[in-house]
Amino acid sequence: MLRLPPYRYHRPSTVEEAVALLGEHAGDAMAVAGGTDLLPNMKHRLFEPGHLVALKGIAELKGIREEEGVLRVGAAETLAAVAASPLVRARFPALAGAAAHVAGPQLRNMGTLGGNVCLDTRCTYYNQTAFWRRSLGYCLKKDGTVCHVTRTGTKCVAAHSADTPPVLMVLDARLALAGPWGRREVPVRDFFVADGIANTRRAPGEIVVEIRVPLASASRRQAYVKLRQRKSIDFPLLAVAVAAEIETDGVVRSLAGAVTGLGARPKELTGWSKLAVGARMDDALLDALAERARTQCHPLENMAVDPEWRRAMVGVYVRRALERLRG
Ligand SMILES: Cc1cc2nc3c(=O)[nH]c(=O)nc-3n(C[C@H](O)[C@H](O)[C@H](O)COP(=O)(O)OP(=O)(O)OC[C@H]3O[C@@H](n4cnc5c(N)ncnc54)[C@H](O)[C@@H]3O)c2cc1C
Ligand code: SF4
């Protein structure tokens, strides 16, 4: 049986209290929302914080509402609530769909949107018990000095594996953060960095308070598709989000795409506007966009599934997502 390491559990009732607790125990405290990722990771001794600061009792982190042209989702709202929200389903079906594709029902009832955005990266050599990892001499991300994927020992390339961030990226969403230095807003597009050890720009002691999606993006056609081993429970081996403005005559006015499950951050697909804007969504364009995406993506052996096959699937899944946009 895997047991949790000992820790003290704090239940702040305001964002300010939570930030103060994280500051007071800096280096030895972590925020916990649903705990669906953090607690298994603690059982694997990937994290051993002496203090957990619970976010679910903070009223400010709850609620799904429209205000001043923005959909505002509290960071501690559950994925089940996001997936079922009539507001989210009507305005941002791809976001509701991505939330509905995370794990299984029990985990979506506990797991939150904020926790999904801040999810730790994953790797075959990392998401293992301490015993398993010790037998291999650990790795760069935790307790070791070498990367078993790249074998160079200088960089961690564990995979960003959360479902909702690519959708949030193509919908121009922003994150409201609160930390020891006050509050700020960051576009989701700028939130992630290509470092598998710490893949976000979140400062120590900073928490995500709200996820904000501009209602202007609701007029875009949008789609989300996910490749996984089983059709329930599993993390993405690859996921694709796309959003486009398409005129009534079928001509593309704007197009954005993002993929995840490959490298340490969700990747925005580039060069699409040049190919698509002003053109019609015909089969030739879909093929060109899918091929462009495939050439930009280079999956590594960070998951127990052949990287070349995953690369081939990039083209297939991008095309499927675009076909959904075309309707
Ligand atoms: C069997 C299984 C299958 C899964 N499948 C998927 C899947 O298919 N897709 C997927 O995306 N995820 C999956 N997950 C992971 C997880 O369930 C979800 O990502 C969930 O959304 C995490 O949210 P949480 O509230 O439980 O996060 P927690 O576990 O509470 O926290 C996760 C991390 O985020 C930090 N954190 C949480 N909230 C905040 C905040 N507001 N501000 C700052 N930091 C914060 C925590 O400190 C921690 O580092 C799976 C998990 C399991 C156990
Ligand atoms: S990519 Fe390398 S360093 Fe990162 S978790 Fe995997 S084996 Fe460890």
Side-chain angles (χ1 to χ4, degrees):
M1 182 195 276
L2 296 173
R3 290 180 189 280
L4 281 167
Y7 59 87
R8 267 197 70 193
Y9 191 69
H10 303 266
R11 291 181 195 214
S13 52
T14 65
V15 167
E16 286 67 31
E17 273 179 56
V19 169
L21 279 163
L22 289 168
E24 188 184 330
H25 304 288
D28 192 29
M30 288 181 79
V32 61
T36 60
D37 193 63
L38 182 56
L39 296 185
N41 285 351
M42 285 171 65
K43 287 184 175 179
H44 286 172
R45 300 303 188 265
L46 297 171
F47 299 100
E48 296 179 66
H51 300 264
L52 284 187
V53 178
L55 302 181
K56 274 203 164 171
I58 301 177
E60 193 189 338
L61 303 188
K62 294 285 179 60
I64 302 177
R65 62 189 190 285
E66 279 182 13
E67 211 176 276
E68 294 168 1
V70 177
L71 172 80
R72 293 166 177 255
V73 183
E77 272 301 335
T78 64
L79 293 160
V82 173
S85 158
L87 200 56
V88 181
R89 290 165 71 106
R91 300 284 203 177
F92 300 109
L95 178 58
H101 274 85
V102 174
Q106 294 93 334
L107 290 158
R108 288 195 294 274
N109 284 337
M110 286 300 291
T112 64
L113 188 57
N116 197 244
V117 168
C118 298
L119 191 71
D120 190 24
T121 54
R122 297 182 62 79
C123 174
T124 310
Y125 301 99
Y126 172 72
N127 296 97
Q128 304 287 354
T129 62
F131 175 78
W132 191 103
R133 289 181 295 111
R134 188 172 66 232
S135 66
L136 203 67
Y138 301 108
C139 82
L140 204 58
K141 184 162 160 74
K142 177 75 176 127
D143 301 326
T145 54
V146 70
C147 171
H148 304 294
V149 175
T150 62
R151 299 192 177 90
T152 58
T154 56
K155 199 176 171 203
C156 170
V157 292
H160 179 266
S161 305
D163 281 286
T164 63
V167 180
L168 295 170
M169 281 167 74
V170 298
L171 295 175
D172 297 333
R174 300 173 75 86
L175 301 176
L177 299 156
W181 306 279
R183 300 206 176 205
R184 65 182 178 129
E185 219 185 73
V186 179
V188 177
R189 275 198 174 88
D190 299 339
F191 185 62
F192 296 99
V193 294
D195 175 357
I197 294 178
N199 76 334
T200 74
R201 293 191 197 279
R202 197 160 53 88
E206 207 171 31
I207 61 172
V208 177
V209 174
E210 201 170 70
I211 294 88
R212 298 176 177 165
V213 195
L215 290 181
S217 303
S219 61
R220 295 178 194 171
R221 291 193 198 181
Q222 45 194 271
Y224 181 72
V225 293
K226 171 174 179 175
L227 169 67
R228 52 181 163 176
Q229 278 170 311
R230 295 165 292 186
K231 286 210 166 163
S232 64
I233 285 284
D234 283 331
F235 285 89
L237 297 172
L238 164 73
V240 182
V242 288
E245 291 168 293
I246 301 177
E247 307 283 6
T248 42
D249 60 2
V251 171
V252 178
R253 191 142 54 95
S254 73
L255 177 65
V259 296
T260 197
L262 305 176
R265 66 171 166 179
K267 179 180 174 62
E268 202 167 1
L269 297 165
T270 59
W272 272 19
S273 297
K274 211 172 159 190
L275 289 171
V277 172
R280 276 174 203 284
M281 276 275 195
D282 56 17
D283 283 349
L285 177 61
L286 264 52
D287 286 341
L289 292 166
E291 177 55 15
R292 167 122 196 120
R294 194 192 63 80
T295 56
Q296 285 175 50
C297 296
H298 305 279
L300 296 162
E301 283 177 5
N302 48 14
M303 290 185 195
V305 175
D306 178 40
E308 277 311 310
W309 180 75
R310 277 161 67 216
R311 186 165 191 223
M313 288 300 108
V314 172
V316 175
Y317 274 70
V318 165
R319 204 179 194 293
R320 281 185 194 174
L322 292 168
E323 277 166 9
R324 283 199 191 176
L325 273 194
R326 192 164 62 172

